């Protein structure tokens, strides 16, 4: 026995793997069609039990493999788009809230107001906690005595409504 560890197998990068799979699916379908339709090959294989019916079955399996490959590629693209949408929505919502939070903290330095506006502590990293906290902040900011003071510093009701909409987009993503 060898004292050396077994070599680890590296997986192929996705693009190379996709190309290899796509090539193999097409190659097999082409070989089956040629074997089924070729005047010299077909009779030889028919004598071994591989008649037109078996080749048609193999070609149907090849079509199914092609459809599965296509569905996989579509799903990968959808996943990438969804991930990008989530990242963008999260970034927008968090930046909007950070801007609001910095302004509101400067306008309302007292602990009572900060507590009412849900500005105490750190902004949560967890998405659900963040969304809940930011919604509470925006809702409180729309009420007096906070609404008029924040409006003077760039956060009127319409801006707070847009800020809440970034949370809706983040939640949806």
């Amino acid at each position: 026995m060898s004292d050396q560890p077994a070599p680890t197998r590296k997986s192929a990068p996705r693009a190379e793997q996709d190309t290899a799979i796509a090539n193999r699916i097409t190659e097999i379908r082409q070989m089956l069609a040629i074997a089924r339709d070729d005047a010299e090959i077909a009779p030889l294989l028919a004598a071994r039990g591989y008649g037109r019916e078996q080749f048609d079955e193999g070609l149907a399996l090849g079509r199914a493999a092609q459809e599965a490959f296509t569905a996989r590629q579509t799903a990968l693209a959808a996943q990438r788009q969804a991930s990008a949408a989530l990242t963008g929505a999260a970034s927008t919502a968090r930046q909007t809230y950070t801007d609001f939070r910095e302004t509101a903290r400067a306008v309302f330095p007292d602990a009572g107001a900060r507590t009412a506006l849900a500005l105490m502590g750190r902004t949560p990293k967890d998405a659900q906690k963040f969304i809940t906290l930011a919604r509470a902040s925006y809702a409180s900011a729309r009420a007096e005595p906070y609404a008029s003071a924040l409006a003077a510093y760039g956060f009127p009701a319409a801006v707070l409504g847009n800020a809440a909409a970034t949370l809706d987009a983040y939640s949806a993503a």
Side-chain angles (χ1 to χ4, degrees), residues 96-97 99-104 106-108 138 141 146-163:
T96 301
Y97 184 67
D99 293 345
F100 164 79
R101 187 177 165 98
E102 288 174 358
T103 300
V107 173
F108 300 103
Y138 297 149
Y146 312 111
S148 56
L150 287 168
Y153 289 95
F155 286 95
V159 171
L160 292 171
N162 290 339

Side-chain angles (χ1 to χ4, degrees), residues 104-128:
R105 286 179 137 194
V107 173
F108 300 103
D110 62 289
R114 287 184 178 187
T115 299
L117 290 168
L119 300 175
M120 301 301 282
R122 295 179 181 254
T123 302
K125 293 189 186 310
D126 178 81
Q128 288 79 16

Side-chain angles (χ1 to χ4, degrees), residues 40-75:
E40 291 181 32
I41 298 172
L44 295 172
L45 291 173
R48 301 271 184 180
Y50 295 101
R52 185 163 194 86
E53 184 178 306
Q54 285 77 21
F55 284 109
D56 288 344
E57 184 180 330
L59 287 168
L61 290 171
R63 279 190 298 279
Q66 179 63 53
E67 289 168 6
F69 181 81
T70 301
R72 176 181 175 269
Q73 294 304 108
T74 301

Side-chain angles (χ1 to χ4, degrees), residues 6 8 16 20 24 31 51 57 65 71 80 82 104 108 111 123 132 135 149 154 159 162 168:
T8 57
E16 290 177 26
R24 191 73 176 140
M31 288 189 309
E57 184 180 330
R80 284 187 190 115
F108 300 103
T123 302
T132 301
R135 283 190 200 285
V159 171
N162 290 339
D168 294 338

